[in-house]
DNA sequence: GTGAAAGCGCTAACAT
DNA sequence: ATGTTAGCGCTTTCAC
């Protein structure tokens, strides 16, 4: 059923029906009622594809995540979904599998679908991806980080400040021989920023330079035992793991080895995973408002859609240091 | 840039360019090359919206989940995404928040977008939702369960068989006084089917009728302590919790109370959550191939798109009983 | 407040 | 193998 059928049924032109759909009060009250019942009578459902083509607004926003199976990345998608639902926007989700080429292909496809806005995870997009996006001139939000060379907008946390907060906490507890464990991949700029903040803050606080270790994969628990051996060998008192999975692995490895936490080794993670609060001793960690990240990004996109003159933003959301039993 | 611009640049009609895009070998080899460079020269990107409108195929599949933040529901989305990527399909995700009205609204919106196929979570759709879907005559897959009154296709696990498997396992271990805890909501037919399978199997095995308890929310750990009190009061030897969160809550509550597991109380869950393997004692549970559920649903949709004559399927995927330390 | 005409960018069906 | 014509279902612009 097309808009014209509704018009015929109501004894009006297709145009008036279209107006009713978008600006009901531009149609006379009796005609509003006529159209309403005509729509019900013929069982009309607007073709959003045709609407989008004609109006050049698709009412779709896209979000790209490495994987949706990881709650860390699923939470912002939920936030985005909740943010745009009321406005009648739908969410297109693309999974890149941490692959830049896949990301690029998806961005191209989404632009082809004429999405009204796009959200990207992180800030490590390929040059070609950035170029495509800048050329398309649509609102784009980079999530998690707020880099200096933004594509357009960014909504993230101050990763360096996270490292700082943990260093200050360790110092306040009296730990002096610190260590930091990060994810070694070059693309993981979040991990790098957190480490840097930790190191700089330790230096400012007059502590000896922390031991720096790294692991191959972000969520690698298997490497924890050798990590613990290394930490003990160097007489480390407190370790900052740039990720909860890793921190939990370290806690479990310590227990197996009979290392007392936090007496012999204090541990802090980042992420506030569900597990962090459930293990014993409960993990000190940093809560990052993942859901809010997506929610704010979505709200910003809606604001941009509503007002074409609005510019990009660089928004930083507060994290929270959750001091528990491991430090 | 439109397809006509490419045609002009290549000295050919728009139609030939369109043909090249979809059936390259229907275009002569020299012209293929001409079009290829013309596309690059003008920086052409097909408008998938216009394509979809004209061809009546959007190359979009939609999936509806209660919440994407729960890995249980995110995993099938990842499977779907992986299944359809190669074929050039995109995934539209809708979150219903366990609300039938929200589900109905989303189904309507997705139909308006002329999605080529749709995946729904569970089988408790409202009558209006079912009617819309049947009227639209597009491939639909109900996920997780394979009900008798399917809308179209279904890909799921045999929930009753899960209950059966746990009952048999308990019986084999020599437990006689059993209990089952389920989610009380009327809409949760999965939970109900698992309980029923458990009860029927217990009867067949000649065991006394299991104690039946219920909780208000599926992932409610807070109710665990009173649940344990109730179980002990009735002298229950083994409890089947229809969900891992609940089972883990019970295990933790037992530990706090000094109840030995499995000596005093054996526990089994369903879901194979990450936590299940990590707690001590490790939880006996049922692994449901969540990712594969979405993957198979996606593959089925692609098959249906490729061959209009293909009919719906009712597919059941195998689960796996993971016997660990709590039983 | 309402209608007519033109067009969004593409493909289907028919030509040649 | 290629081109022409006529839409897909809607909105935009400009009339009245």
């Amino acid at each position: 059923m097309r808009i014209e059928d509704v018009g015929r049924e109501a004894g009006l032109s297709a145009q008036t029906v279209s107006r009713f759909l978008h600006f009901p009060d531009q149609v006379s009250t009796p005609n509003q009622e006529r159209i309403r019942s005509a729509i019900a009578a013929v069982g009309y459902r607007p073709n959003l594809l045709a609407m989008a083509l004609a109006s050049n607004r698709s009412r779709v926003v896209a979000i790209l995540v490495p994987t949706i199976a990881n709650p860390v990345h699923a939470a912002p998608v939920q936030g985005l979904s909740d943010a745009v639902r009321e406005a009648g926007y739908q969410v297109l989700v693309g999974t890149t599998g941490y692959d830049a080429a896949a990301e690029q292909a998806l961005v191209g496809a989404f632009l082809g679908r004429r999405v009204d806005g796009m959200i990207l995870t992180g800030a490590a997009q390929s040059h070609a991806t950035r170029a495509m996006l800048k050329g398309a001139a649509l609102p784009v939000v980079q999530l998690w980080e707020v880099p200096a060379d933004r594509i357009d907008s960014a909504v993230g946390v101050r990763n360096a400040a996270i490292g700082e907060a943990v260093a200050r906490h360790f110092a306040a507890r009296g730990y002096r021989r610190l260590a930091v464990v990060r994810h070694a991949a070059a693309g993981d700029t979040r991990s790098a920023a957190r480490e840097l903040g930790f190191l700089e803050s330790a230096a400012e606080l007059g502590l000896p330079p922390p031991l720096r270790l790294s692991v191959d994969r972000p969520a690698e628990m298997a490497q924890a035992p050798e990590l613990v051996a290394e930490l003990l060998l160097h007489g480390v008192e407190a370790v900052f793991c740039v990720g909860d999975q890793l921190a939990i692995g370290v806690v479990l490895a310590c227990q197996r080895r009979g290392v007392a936490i936090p007496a012999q080794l204090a541990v802090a993670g980042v992420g506030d995973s569900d597990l962090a609060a459930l293990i014993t001793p409960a993990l000190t960690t940093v809560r990052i408002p993942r859901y809010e990240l997506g929610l704010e990004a979505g709200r910003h996109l809606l604001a941009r859609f509503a007002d074409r003159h609005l510019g990009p933003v660089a928004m930083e959301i507060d994290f929270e240091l959750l001091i528990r039993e491991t430090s």
Side-chain angles (χ1 to χ4, degrees), chain A:
Chain A
M1 285 298 158
R2 302 171 310 149
I3 207 168
E4 205 189 310
D5 302 316
V6 177
R8 187 177 311 115
E9 177 78 18
L12 293 162
S13 77
Q15 231 15 260
T16 309
V17 178
S18 171
R19 256 185 220 109
F20 168 81
L21 257 24
H22 297 285
F23 317 96
D25 23 283
Q26 287 185 19
V27 174
S28 71
T29 325
N31 280 346
Q32 283 184 30
E33 197 35 59
R34 267 183 211 112
I35 294 175
R36 237 187 297 276
S37 46
I39 286 175
V42 304
Y44 171 69
R45 180 193 313 291
N47 184 326
L48 270 24
L49 246 31
M51 224 178 86
L53 180 63
S55 68
N56 203 28
R57 306 183 86 234
S58 62
R59 296 190 170 271
V60 170
V61 294
I63 182 164
L64 285 154
V65 291
T67 159
I68 191 77
N70 184 338
V72 164
H73 293 117
V77 176
Q78 181 70 43
L80 173 65
S81 177
D82 289 343
V84 303
R85 183 199 332 280
E86 294 262 293
Y89 279 75
Q90 255 87 61
V91 178
L92 213 40
V93 173
T95 57
T96 66
Y98 296 94
D99 178 51
E103 179 174 62
Q104 193 168 319
L106 279 168
V107 166
F110 288 160
L111 290 178
R113 293 217 182 270
R114 301 299 189 261
V115 299
D116 289 340
M118 202 131 101
I119 298 181
L120 306 172
T121 298
Q125 287 76 30
S126 76
H127 188 74
T129 302
R130 301 177 72 96
M132 270 198 287
L133 253 9
K134 291 199 172 178
L138 85 170
V140 173
V141 180
Q142 288 168 300
L143 217 62
W144 291 98
E145 307 176 60
V146 184
D149 60 333
R150 294 183 285 283
I151 295 172
D152 185 45
S153 286
V155 175
V157 286
R158 296 197 303 127
N159 285 295
I162 289 174
E164 262 178 61
V166 173
R168 281 179 201 289
H169 165 61
F170 280 168
R173 280 282 199 269
Y175 305 121
R176 286 191 53 82
R177 296 203 51 82
L178 309 184
V180 54
V181 187
R182 58 162 293 201
H183 176 211
D188 197 339
T189 51
R190 262 161 286 172
S191 201
R194 289 170 192 169
E195 183 194 38
L196 191 64
F198 184 79
L199 295 174
E200 290 186 347
S201 187
E204 274 174 30
L205 293 162
L207 297 173
L211 177 67
R212 299 171 59 194
L213 300 174
S214 65
V215 290
D216 302 335
R217 283 189 285 166
E220 195 49 89
M221 284 186 168
Q223 293 181 51
E226 38 183 300
L227 228 46
V228 171
E230 187 85 7
L231 292 168
L232 295 176
L233 192 69
H234 288 82
V236 169
E237 296 165 2
V239 60
F240 172 38
C241 300
V242 175
D244 270 5
Q245 290 276 53
L246 201 58
I248 290 166
V250 167
V251 170
L252 296 177
C254 283
Q255 290 177 332
R256 227 162 284 138
R257 242 183 116 110
V259 177
I261 295 177
Q264 282 179 269
L265 182 66
V267 183
V270 180
D272 188 28
S273 81
D274 295 340
L275 261 166
L278 288 168
I279 60 168
T280 314
L283 183 69
T284 289
T285 185
V286 175
R287 195 187 86 85
I288 295 177
R290 313 185 282 234
Y291 174 84
E292 288 79 4
L293 239 32
L295 192 74
E296 291 300 339
R299 287 182 178 158
H300 169 63
L301 286 182
L302 290 183
R304 294 280 291 275
F305 300 155
D307 180 359
R308 287 302 205 185
H309 301 290
L310 227 59
V313 296
M315 182 167 166
E316 286 179 329
I317 296 187
D318 281 340
F319 59 88
E320 188 183 358
L321 179 62
L322 301 172
I323 300 171
R324 295 204 273 237
E325 300 164 5
T326 59
S327 66

